Amino acid sequence: MADVRNGIATRAGAMILAPVGWLANLFDSPLRMLQRRTGSNGMAVFFLAPNMLVFGIFVLFPLVINILYSMTGGGALFLGDRTFVGADQYGRLFSCSSYLDPKSCIEDLFWIAVWNTLAFVVLQVAMMVAVALVTALVLNRELRARSFWRAVFFFPVLLSPVVVGLIWRWILQRQGLLNLMVFEAGGTPVNWLVERNWAFTAAIMVSVWAHVGFYALILLAGLQAIPKDLYEAAEMDGTRPLRVFWRITLPLLAPNLLVVLVLTLIRAVQIFDEVYVLTGGGPGTSTLFLTQYIYEVGFASMLRNPGLASAASILMGAVLVVLTLIQLGIARRNEQRGKMR
Amino acid sequence: MSRVAEFLFRRRGGAGWHWTDVFTWFWLIGGLIVMFGPALWLVNSSFKTPAALAEFPPTVLPYVTAEAIVAGYEEPLQLFEVRNDDGSVRVLAEVRRLGTVAQMVDPANPGEIIRVNIKNRTPKRSIAFALDNYVQPFLAFDFFLYLRNSVFVTVVATLITLLTNSMAAFALSKYNFRGRSAVMMLIVATLMVPLSVILVPLYSVISAMGLFNSLWGVILPTVATPTGVFMLRQYMLTIPDELIEAARMDKASEWQIYWRIILPLTAPALAVLAIFSVVWRWNDFLWPLIVLSRKEVYTLQVGLNTYAGQLNVQWHYILAMTVVTMIPVVLVFIFLQRYITTGIAGSGLK
């Protein structure tokens, strides 16, 4: 049966690929002419070109002109039409009598978003790492059908943020499933997405729900790389499970934990999609985060100010660069340690 | 029964239950409910009529109240099961209700009005799937268009991603040229630049190229994925250089080497990247939200968000369309999940 299926798949694949192969052959003679001029090693440039062109136009160039954008003012879209204002946009972002009190700032929304994001990052990262670690530890035990259980926790990772947001909006609405459970348990239903603290909690919970499977998977790979004989030795000595965890598992998993910690930090700082669909930043501004602030100031709101959005995005980018450099440093150190082992 | 339980709960070594075993099963069963439950509840709700969705407490199965067309009445009448004094039950249709007394007729004998106390009757309900939730958005709204746009973006972006990334990976793994490490550094550096940092200037670039409100404006900025280049390069490094040398001896051009030798040998890695790319592009939200402002070019995600953001949310349609949006990803999950999980465990790709 499998042979038949493979045969069909191969034949179908060949049928689909036949015209593509024909197309590729058409390119051969002009490319041979090119190769005669560049030499075979020079063709590397040709192979790199499409990817680097896209990189250059859509990543590097925007990155460079973003700095220029953040030093201009007005509502015009193209850089040439904009007026140079120096560091005014940054000055505007930072003009506060007290940074702790967003109401005292000119750009009060920016500081609300900053503090919201900070609170979100601290709580969500702690929760994410804890849940991912427990899940990985559970999945690392001797389980029947481990791949099934691994898939269970991984399922939401594939869902789109819009789908995630809508699934939970439906559960958390006033007449939703959660309130049904509260009601059946004898409690009073709560309007989860309308009460500030509950909406913030929901944003954390939903983002953990959506991504925890990804981090659990990374940690699981780390756990499975820990040599089994260490555990066997501990078992022979009759060491208690908690002690095994503190003395063997945690120290040996530390590099992976660090990677997961930094990755969750990087993602949490940029949180937008699923929370935007879930709460729209509300109620009021209680779930307004940095990326949404940039989006609204740059594109959506009546008081569109691209320069200000640029300045805010550069500040956020600086934080992310620092975090990414830490991540790369850790990754390199892990690699070296792996070689030594 | 006890044997089944014994089989299910049998432990290695035959020892008794340790608290860690109890916790493991608590976590796994809890995870099963929490991870799948919300999505299943959404799928379940998507088959309910608006009236059934408004009910609290909600029912598990999709019920509709039964109606019948009775001779002599223009509108369909709602059916009730009426308990007679002798305990027997018959089905009557309601004509009108006055206080606690309803005037009802027997559908088989519509001439005679029967007065019934409303305490003695219950609405007749039957299980029915509101498939209209799925049909209407495609017929009356633009969801067919959104679906087509999403499929176009996903397929085209994935094809271009595979081509450009594999070409770049080939150059970076099989050629020695000046500035190779500089290019690698550049690609690493772009890992640090998430979309949210370059929103404003990227938007101006797209507008200057005339790609605003065009699906190409959604596709092009996403195709040069650094993770894709990396993964493919790692894989190509394992292909022996002797193969390429032998082909050069046989007068194969570099393009032929790429096309006939490297690509077929990289197929497993290309498949993984294709799966990732499909999921990424299908799920993209923030960038399409910015580039696409006209309804004709919305993707499913943007269209869904727009309809769900309206003041008067038509949940019965939204739920059904959310299920439709979920389908490709659920198919990937069922059939291709193991490629993704090994991809992530191997390289931390996402």
Side-chain angles (χ1 to χ4, degrees), chain B residues 292-314:
Chain B
L292 309 174
S293 75
R294 284 212 328 264
K295 277 195 164 183
E296 306 90 88
V297 286
Y298 278 180
T299 59
L300 266 182
Q301 314 285 349
V302 177
L304 204 53
N305 176 62
T306 307
Y307 277 103
Q310 283 169 348
L311 219 51
N312 193 3
V313 182
Q314 293 183 296

Side-chain angles (χ1 to χ4, degrees), chain B residues 8 28 34 50-51 54 58 123 128 133 135 139 172 174 177 184 186 189 201 207 233 240 264 269 315 318 327:
Chain B
L8 282 174
L28 290 178
V34 173
N133 294 351
V135 178
L139 296 180
L172 290 170
K174 294 296 171 200
F177 55 93
M184 285 299 288
L186 206 65
S207 302
R233 177 176 174 268
W315 271 110
I318 296 291
I327 288 173

Side-chain angles (χ1 to χ4, degrees), chain A residues 92-113:
Chain A
R92 189 177 160 83
L93 285 178
F94 282 103
S95 68
C96 285
S97 44
S98 158
Y99 292 120
L100 291 174
D101 177 22
K103 277 190 219 108
S104 72
C105 305
I106 293 186
E107 273 304 312
D108 53 342
L109 283 180
F110 174 72
W111 285 97
I112 290 173

